[in-house]
């Protein structure tokens, strides 16, 4: 289960307050009493005093009283509480005039209520401080007095392209591990500072382009800048570490789904009208607009793509991450994946699959064979009008390849025997490495299919590459299917450390070097060998991982053959980005490469990845 800020996970941290005693006392309208929640008095603490000029409240850990404001939003589920805002403010754009009050139970207030609150100032880290996210300044253990009702809400701050700085994040303090928490906010310079300066305040977007589809967690992503690195299909391309698209913003709704279903939205749709509510922050996307009023989704008409069929003399090699596929999945998933292969990928000659689970799926029962999973998929493809693919796979050692516990994900090959033949050389298993040999003056694999260096430390708790030797029209082609280590453990783009740390990259670098070394062995045995490396690299085309794969010129990424606005296989937090890649050896001089957008941009997905296909004449 994914945790959100609403769920108050056990790993979350409240600084400056003990965990006990987070009860809310709701008091009726009454005159102020010294030290209680009612009525602002001379020298009373105001919201901007609590928020201060930095991300951490100058009053963190202190008990305050007489904090007044107008209720601008109520969350009566999950992490229950409400937002309040000072309608007057201090005129300093660095200090937010909004604040979340964590009640832990039904808040008992409504938008438009004027309230006075006493509580303890805390900093809440969604997911815990170790996750690297920023904190939300809030009042905990509150005593709330309603002073009046039916007041007009403060005018929302409209977020527009002109309002959001192009520069994303201030540089972190090296003395504090890159933290930006103590930096004085500069909302006119840095986008993250602008959002922080509006934390808890009533904000709004209007007619915003959807750049991340709606999800099962009832969220979607928009950009408030129509010209922000647009993709060819309406998204927002993440093209470098230095341009993370600061105008992106997550949208959630404060209205329970049972009362009003969250809209279904695809990339390229428009969230029309005005969407307004408090600006919040969580550990799964950063700053978000908690919509009190949610606009309507206007469809942009985006449709799944279909690539052209390969010509008779072209070999088509595709890759598809099928997202934890196992026999227990709904038949509809198999049917949709099959349609993707047949109708959208035009039945490639070879398909490298990632995330094929064993026959018992996530049940951790010692099963490692995946024949039933592959049988169901190939039968679904045949039923959809595609070829009757054969498959080659090597089962992993139980629990040694990472992924969903019990699932034993692995890479696998499908191939169309009417077009391609597979060179079977026995002896391949989970722990035996395939080696490069020279036979009759040509490169060959000692075992095929075989795993690449499965004993190398680079593949600890990660999927091992699967290498196979294929023949097409009398020519040998080496295909290596990869699925590198995930980005789990990396700090978020919107975190409190800037630039964010990427510790997972270390393992992917080692994996890239191992694969590049293996390809180098093939090319030393046969300089003009045709080699295709493809799969879920879990890293960007501009990353150090890709540079490691391509160092020395043994491989080149096909992604750069596409225009920049078409380079993406995955949509994450509103960023259309490359995670899946295809790389080719120097002998493959001319090729046609296509990323086929059928999943990542859509609310209804057969997988969270888009497949890709490479066509060339060996």
């Amino acid at each position: 289960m994914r945790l959100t800020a609403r769920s108050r996970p056990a790993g979350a941290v409240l600084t400056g307050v003990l965990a006990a005693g987070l009860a809310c006392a709701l008091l009726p309208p009454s005159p102020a009493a010294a030290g209680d929640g009612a009525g602002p008095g001379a020298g009373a603490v105001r919201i901007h005093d609590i928020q201060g000029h930095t991300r951490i409240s100058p009053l963190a850990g202190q008990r305050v009283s007489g904090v007044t404001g107008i209720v601008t939003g109520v969350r009566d589920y999950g992490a229950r509480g409400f937002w309040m805002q000072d309608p007057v403010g201090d005129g300093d754009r660095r200090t937010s005039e909004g604040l979340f009050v964590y009640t832990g139970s039904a808040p008992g207030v409504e938008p438009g209520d004027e309230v006075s609150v006493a509580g303890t100032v805390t900093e809440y880290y969604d997911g815990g401080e170790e996750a690297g996210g920023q904190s939300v300044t809030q009042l905990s253990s509150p005593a709330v007095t309603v002073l009046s009702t039916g007041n007009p809400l403060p005018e929302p701050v409209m977020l527009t392209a002109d309002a959001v700085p192009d520069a994303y994040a201030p540089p972190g303090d090296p003395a504090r591990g890159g933290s930006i928490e103590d930096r004085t906010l500069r909302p006119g310079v840095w986008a993250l500072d602008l959002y922080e300066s509006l934390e808890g305040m009533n904000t709004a977007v209007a007619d915003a382009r959807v750049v991340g589809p709606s999800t099962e967690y009832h969220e979607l992503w928009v950009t408030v800048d129509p010209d922000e690195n647009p993709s060819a299909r309406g998204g927002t391309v993440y093209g470098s570490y230095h341009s993370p698209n600061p105008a992106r913003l997550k949208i959630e709704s404060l209205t329970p789904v049972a009362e009003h279903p969250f809209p279904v939205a695809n990339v390229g749709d428009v969230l029309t009208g005005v969407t307004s509510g408090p600006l919040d922050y969580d550990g799964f996307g950063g700053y978000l607009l908690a919509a009190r009023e949610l606009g309507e989704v206007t469809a942009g008409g985006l449709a799944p793509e279909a690539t052209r069929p390969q010509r008779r003399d072209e070999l088509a090699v595709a890759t598809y991450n099928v997202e934890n596929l196992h026999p227990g999945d709904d038949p509809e998933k198999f049917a949709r994946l099959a349609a993707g292969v047949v109708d959208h990928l035009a039945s490639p000659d070879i398909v490298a699959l990632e995330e094929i689970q064993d026959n018992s799926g996530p049940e951790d029962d010692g099963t490692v064979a995946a024949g039933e999973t592959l049988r169901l998929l190939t039968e679904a493809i045949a039923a959809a009008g595609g070829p009757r693919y054969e498959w080659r796979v090597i089962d992993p050692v139980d629990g040694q390849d990472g992924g969903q516990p019990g699932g034993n994900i692995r890479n696998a090959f499908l191939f169309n025997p009417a077009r391609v033949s597979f060179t079977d050389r026995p002896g391949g298993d989970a722990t035996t490495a395939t080696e490069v040999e020279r036979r009759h003056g040509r490169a060959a694999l000692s075992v095929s299919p075989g795993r690449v260096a499965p004993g190398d430390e680079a593949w600890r708790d990660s999927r091992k590459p699967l290498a196979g030797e294929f023949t097409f029209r009398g020519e040998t082609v080496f295909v290596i299917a990869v699925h590198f280590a995930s980005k789990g453990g990396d700090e978020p783009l919107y975190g409190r450390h800037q630039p964010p740390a990427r510790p997972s990259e270390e393992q992917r670098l080692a994996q890239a070097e191992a694969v590049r070394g293996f390809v180098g062995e093939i090319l030393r045995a046969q300089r003009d060998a045709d080699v295709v490396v493809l799969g879920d690299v879990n890293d960007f085309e501009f990353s150090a991982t890709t540079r490691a794969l391509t160092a020395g010129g043994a491989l080149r990424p096909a992604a750069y053959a596409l225009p920049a606005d078409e380079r993406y296989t995955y949509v994450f937090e509103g960023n259309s980005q490359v995670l899946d890649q295809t790389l080719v050896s120097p002998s493959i001089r001319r090729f046609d490469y296509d990323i086929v957008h059928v999943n990542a941009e859509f609310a209804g997905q057969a997988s969270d990845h888009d497949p890709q296909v490479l066509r060339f004449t060996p």
Side-chain angles (χ1 to χ4, degrees):
M1 180 184 74
R2 172 176 146 178
L3 299 173
T4 71
R6 296 175 178 172
S7 60
R8 293 281 165 173
V13 174
L14 287 169
T15 64
V17 67
L18 297 176
L22 296 181
C24 169
L26 182 64
L27 306 178
S30 64
D36 70 8
V45 172
R46 295 174 66 184
I47 290 174
H48 53 254
D49 298 321
I50 295 171
Q51 289 284 10
H53 294 156
T54 67
R55 287 170 165 78
I56 300 298
S57 171
L59 303 178
Q62 296 184 31
R63 186 78 180 174
V64 296
S65 61
V67 184
T68 60
I70 305 297
V71 175
T72 58
V74 175
R75 189 161 62 207
D76 196 15
Y77 54 91
R80 293 178 171 179
F82 64 89
W83 289 267
M84 58 187 291
Q85 182 170 333
D86 189 327
V88 178
D90 62 355
D92 187 341
R93 63 179 303 193
R94 298 172 299 176
T95 55
S96 171
E97 299 295 343
L99 187 65
F100 184 68
V101 179
Y102 174 52
T103 61
S105 58
V109 294
E110 298 292 337
D113 288 353
E114 182 186 11
V115 295
S116 179
V117 183
T120 300
V121 180
T122 60
E123 297 290 341
Y124 171 70
Y125 291 89
D126 187 26
E129 287 189 73
E130 68 282 354
Q134 298 185 52
S135 64
V136 174
T137 303
Q138 63 184 29
L139 289 181
S140 301
S141 303
V144 181
T145 300
V146 176
L147 302 176
S148 62
T149 61
N151 298 283
L153 303 188
E155 283 295 316
V157 176
M158 186 64 69
L159 295 173
T160 64
D162 293 336
V164 180
D166 293 332
Y168 187 63
D173 181 357
R176 300 194 62 232
S179 174
I180 60 175
E181 288 187 321
D182 290 338
R183 298 285 195 191
T184 298
L185 299 179
R186 301 176 67 190
V189 177
W190 307 105
L192 287 188
D193 282 4
L194 170 70
Y195 295 136
E196 178 64 21
S197 74
L198 299 174
E199 181 188 83
M201 290 181 62
N202 198 23
T203 55
V205 299
D207 298 329
R209 175 164 53 95
V210 175
V211 294
S214 55
T215 74
E216 61 185 300
Y217 306 107
H218 314 302
E219 62 191 14
L220 58 82
W221 286 80
V222 301
T223 179
V224 300
D225 183 355
D227 300 320
E228 185 171 58
N229 296 323
S231 77
R233 289 165 54 85
T236 304
V237 174
Y238 181 49
S240 79
Y241 292 125
H242 305 293
S243 56
N245 300 312
R248 292 172 301 115
L249 192 66
K250 186 163 72 169
I251 305 293
E252 293 185 353
S253 176
L254 290 178
T255 303
V257 175
E259 297 178 15
H260 190 281
F262 194 77
V264 175
N266 299 324
V267 167
D269 292 349
V270 176
L271 186 62
T272 57
V274 175
T275 295
S276 64
L279 192 71
D280 197 15
Y281 179 97
D282 71 19
F284 296 90
Y287 293 99
L288 64 96
L289 197 159
R292 183 186 58 254
E293 299 175 276
L294 187 63
E296 297 290 329
V297 171
T298 299
L302 195 69
E305 289 185 325
T307 197
R308 70 168 176 84
Q310 64 270 32
R311 296 191 299 267
R312 185 171 179 271
D313 63 342
E314 286 180 315
L315 177 68
V317 186
T319 180
Y320 203 159
N321 182 321
V322 293
E323 194 179 9
N324 290 315
L325 185 68
H326 63 85
D329 280 325
D330 192 298
E332 182 184 358
K333 178 173 182 177
F334 283 92
R336 291 191 61 189
L337 290 170
V341 171
V342 176
D343 299 329
H344 300 281
L345 287 174
S347 299
D349 302 309
I350 302 168
V351 184
L353 300 170
E354 300 87 54
E355 294 198 17
I356 291 291
Q357 289 198 351
D358 63 40
N359 294 334
S360 65
E363 185 177 349
D364 195 359
D365 59 0
T367 300
V368 294
E372 182 65 8
T373 306
L374 290 163
R375 182 188 69 81
L376 289 171
L377 179 58
T378 54
E379 288 188 353
I381 291 171
R388 188 159 290 280
Y389 285 104
E390 295 183 12
W391 70 78
R392 295 294 186 271
V393 69
I394 291 179
D395 297 329
V397 175
D398 187 33
Q400 296 301 302
D401 280 21
Q404 186 177 22
N408 288 312
I409 58 173
R410 84 291 308 274
N411 306 318
F413 291 128
L414 303 184
F415 65 95
N416 179 1
R419 294 257 304 164
V420 176
S421 63
F422 189 87
T423 302
D424 287 294
R425 292 200 181 94
D429 60 28
T431 58
T432 299
T434 186
E435 306 290 346
V436 179
E437 300 176 345
R438 187 172 172 84
R439 299 186 181 190
H440 311 295
R442 315 283 290 178
L445 300 181
S446 61
V447 294
S448 174
R451 298 182 117 191
V452 176
D456 192 311
E457 188 66 19
W459 309 109
R460 178 184 290 273
D461 296 323
S462 185
R463 285 68 57 184
K464 284 69 174 173
L466 183 67
E469 194 173 321
F470 295 85
T471 302
F472 176 72
R473 295 170 65 89
E475 298 293 333
T476 297
V477 177
F478 298 93
V479 180
I480 303 168
V482 300
H483 187 180
F484 285 3
S486 78
K487 292 180 174 291
D490 288 0
E491 292 184 330
L493 290 176
Y494 43 81
R496 69 180 182 278
H497 299 127
Q498 295 294 334
R502 300 188 296 270
S504 72
E505 192 175 77
E506 182 178 347
Q507 185 174 13
R508 287 193 300 280
L509 284 172
Q511 293 175 341
E513 290 166 357
V515 170
R516 185 193 69 210
F518 184 76
V519 173
E521 292 177 20
I522 295 175
L523 298 182
R524 281 190 292 274
Q526 181 187 335
R527 189 172 68 174
D528 64 349
D530 289 339
V531 184
V532 179
V533 175
L534 74 174
D536 185 353
V537 175
N538 260 319
D539 225 332
F540 316 118
E541 77 278 21
F542 53 81
S543 66
T545 300
T546 303
R547 291 197 300 272
L549 270 170
T550 58
L555 292 167
R556 58 177 171 142
Y560 285 106
L562 297 178
D565 64 357
E566 295 181 20
R567 294 179 203 152
Y568 58 94
T569 68
Y570 196 82
V571 177
F572 182 67
E573 295 174 351
N575 271 331
S576 296
Q577 56 194 239
V578 166
L579 286 188
D580 311 82
Q581 297 200 45
T582 297
L583 304 100
V584 299
S585 61
S587 63
I588 305 176
R589 295 181 179 88
R590 299 180 64 182
F591 58 82
D592 185 22
Y593 172 68
D594 193 6
I595 299 171
V596 186
H597 302 298
V598 295
N599 288 317
E601 299 167 314
F602 299 94
Q605 303 176 343
S607 167
D608 49 353
H609 293 250
D610 285 332
Q612 51 189 300
V613 62
L614 179 87
R615 292 173 289 256
F616 69 102
T617 302

